[in-house]
């Protein structure tokens, strides 16, 4: 059976035997960022996480020990770069990749369900970093063969890597939930982008659900004021679903929900792939007109289990199936469809 121990930052995992053969050379490893998601993916694949230890030296340095032979193996390392320890999780990923590279793994795929620093994907000021490119350079330098990600903040991030990047979409998971669990809202539904950056995603989901589309328009009240006026561009329907890739502070979706309520929407939902949910976000959601927020488990699900408005869906089958197809040299294009 699997052995999972976590005391502080230390973690030991892996062991057991495969339940369903996929090829003797496939190995799954995980950092400590989201072990639950990694275990679900391994279960879907009929295997277990390969044994490894992630620990700390006394001065805080990360120590990694791979406890199995990976020479000639097709290796997948599952590690979202997410809070609450974004930088530690990034270093864990880099160190695990380096260890596997030096152990002569035949092919290494970095499976990154959440890619931190992706929101800084261009220069937003005269003197500013492009951290999405910086992190891509760090990962590429360590030497993985490819990256498997989920809903990168912008598509251009794929071009920051000099190796293949498969950017999966959570649309099938989220849309299937709406179709199967919320069929009553489909007859008069509008998909709402909370800002211009979410417009393409909203258009894609609206096409899938055969819904109307709208966008929240924000503009300054005047040149001397920080106050913004929010309005709706597009049609309003009885039911509205606000869509985005990330919910962090929840300010954007809360403001959007308030505008939709004023414009006549009766049922308001929100859905996003990555539930960052910084401190204060859950309180904002609770106070907003939103009846349900639908997220995935790309982030470790901790304080949202008991929240009455949060629904968490697993992307483990989606990501695990992508791993299976990559390992077997099969196309993954079918996974982008319902």
């Amino acid at each position: 059976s699997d052995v999972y121990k976590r005391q502080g930052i230390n973690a030991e995992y892996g062991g057991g035997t495969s339940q369903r053969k996929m090829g003797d050379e496939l190995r799954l490893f995980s950092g400590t960022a989201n072990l639950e998601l990694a275990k679900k993916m391994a279960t879907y694949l009929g295997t277990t996480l390969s044994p490894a230890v992630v620990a700390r030296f006394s001065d805080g340095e990360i120590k990694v020990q791979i406890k199995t032979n990976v020479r000639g193996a097709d290796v997948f390392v599952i590690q979202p770069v997410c809070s609450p320890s974004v930088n530690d999780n990034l270093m864990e990923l880099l160190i695990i990749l380096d260890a596997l590279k030096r152990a002569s793994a035949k092919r290494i795929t970095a499976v990154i369900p959440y890619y931190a620093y992706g929101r800084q994907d261009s220069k937003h000021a005269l003197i500013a970093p492009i951290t999405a490119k910086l992190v891509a350079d760090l990962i590429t330098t360590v030497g993985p063969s490819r990256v498997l990600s989920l809903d990168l903040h912008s598509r251009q991030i794929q071009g920051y890597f000099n190796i293949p990047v498969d950017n999966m979409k959570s649309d099938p998971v989220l849309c299937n939930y709406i179709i199967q669990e919320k069929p009553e809202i489909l007859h008069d539904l509008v998909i709402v982008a909370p800002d211009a950056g979410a417009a393409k995603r909203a258009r894609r989901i609206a096409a899938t659900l055969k819904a109307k589309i709208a966008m929240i328009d924000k503009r300054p009240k005047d040149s001397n004021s920080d106050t913004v006026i929010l309005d709706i561009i597009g049609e309003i329907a009885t039911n509205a679903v606000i869509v985005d890739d990330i919910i962090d502070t929840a300010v954007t979706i809360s403001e959007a929900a308030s505008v939709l309520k004023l414009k006549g929407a009766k049922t308001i939902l929100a859905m996003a792939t990555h539930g960052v949910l910084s401190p204060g976000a859950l309180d904002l959601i609770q106070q907003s007109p939103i009846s349900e927020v639908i997220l995935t488990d790309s982030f470790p699900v901790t304080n949202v289990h008991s929240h009455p408005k949060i629904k968490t869906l697993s992307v483990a089958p989606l990501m695990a199936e992508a791993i299976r197809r990559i390992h077997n040299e099969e196309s993954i294009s079918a996974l982008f469809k319902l």
Side-chain angles (χ1 to χ4, degrees):
S1 60
D2 295 347
V3 177
Y4 292 90
K5 295 179 181 177
R6 188 165 187 173
Q7 297 178 345
I9 191 66
N10 293 347
E12 182 172 346
Y13 55 82
T17 57
S18 177
Q19 298 171 3
R20 175 165 59 90
K21 291 192 71 174
M22 293 177 42
D24 293 335
E25 293 188 346
L26 185 136
R27 300 285 187 274
L28 292 180
F29 290 89
S30 175
T32 63
N34 196 342
L35 273 172
E36 287 302 314
L37 177 61
K39 288 193 288 184
K40 289 177 185 176
M41 292 166 67
T43 298
Y44 177 91
L45 293 168
T47 187
T48 59
L49 296 176
S50 295
V53 173
V54 179
R56 280 280 199 275
F57 287 105
S58 58
D59 64 351
E61 292 180 19
I62 296 169
K63 174 184 177 181
V64 170
Q65 184 179 4
I66 305 299
K67 289 191 163 185
T68 187
N69 178 28
V70 296
R71 185 177 296 272
D74 189 10
V75 175
F76 294 80
V77 180
I78 304 162
Q79 175 79 340
V81 183
C82 60
S83 57
S85 303
V86 173
N87 298 324
D88 285 349
N89 289 333
L90 175 59
M91 282 305 302
E92 270 189 32
L93 173 63
L94 298 176
I95 293 169
I96 294 170
L97 292 173
D98 184 67
L100 293 167
K101 186 76 173 180
R102 296 176 187 278
S104 301
K106 183 178 181 181
R107 182 173 67 174
I108 305 171
T109 300
V111 182
I112 310 175
Y114 178 72
Y115 184 85
Y117 293 104
R119 284 176 280 187
Q120 300 177 69
D121 55 9
S122 61
K123 290 184 68 173
H124 300 293
L126 186 61
I127 302 176
I130 304 178
T131 57
K133 177 65 166 69
L134 172 61
V135 171
D137 287 344
L138 289 171
I139 293 171
T140 303
T141 299
V142 178
S145 309
R146 69 191 305 121
V147 169
L148 175 61
S149 62
L150 177 68
D151 279 326
L152 292 169
H153 187 60
S154 62
R155 289 185 296 178
Q156 71 198 49
I157 294 174
Q158 296 174 78
Y160 294 163
F161 289 87
N162 293 322
I163 55 177
V165 177
D166 295 308
N167 183 33
M168 305 304 298
K169 302 293 183 186
S170 66
D171 296 5
V173 177
L174 298 172
C175 289
N176 274 327
Y177 175 77
I178 295 293
I179 293 168
Q180 295 173 12
E181 303 296 331
K182 305 288 180 180
E184 68 278 4
I185 72 172
L186 293 173
H187 71 283
D188 188 22
L189 177 64
V190 61
I191 303 299
V192 182
D195 51 41
K200 286 184 178 179
R201 182 183 181 89
R203 189 178 301 115
R204 198 171 62 236
I205 290 174
T208 300
L209 297 178
K210 298 179 174 58
K212 303 171 186 174
I213 185 169
M215 186 180 77
I216 302 293
D217 177 37
K218 289 184 180 182
R219 58 187 185 279
K221 186 175 182 180
D222 57 63
S223 59
N224 298 317
S225 174
D226 292 332
T227 304
V228 297
I229 299 173
L230 282 77
D231 203 354
I232 304 287
I233 298 175
E235 299 181 69
I236 298 298
T238 305
N239 309 302
V241 177
I242 305 165
V243 299
D244 213 342
D245 62 327
I246 298 170
I247 296 178
D248 187 351
T249 63
V251 170
T252 300
I253 63 166
S254 297
E255 290 178 343
S258 297
V259 174
L260 290 166
K261 191 75 173 178
L262 287 173
K263 295 294 183 178
K266 303 300 182 184
T267 302
I268 303 170
L269 285 73
M271 64 183 188
T273 305
H274 309 296
V276 178
L277 300 179
S278 296
L282 292 177
D283 291 335
L284 269 180
I285 290 170
Q286 183 62 35
Q287 297 161 14
S288 75
I290 299 170
S291 58
E292 185 174 54
V293 176
I294 306 157
L295 303 170
T296 78
D297 58 354
S298 65
F299 258 68
V301 181
T302 52
N303 59 338
V304 300
H305 275 305
S306 59
H307 196 281
K309 289 190 176 183
I310 304 292
K311 174 67 178 180
T312 305
L313 309 176
S314 184
V315 291
L318 174 72
M319 299 299 286
E321 180 61 20
I323 287 175
R324 187 192 69 79
R325 292 180 180 224
I326 291 170
H327 174 61
N328 292 333
E329 305 292 349
E330 299 173 7
S331 171
I332 64 170
S333 60
L335 301 181
F336 291 89
K337 304 173 184 177
L338 280 175

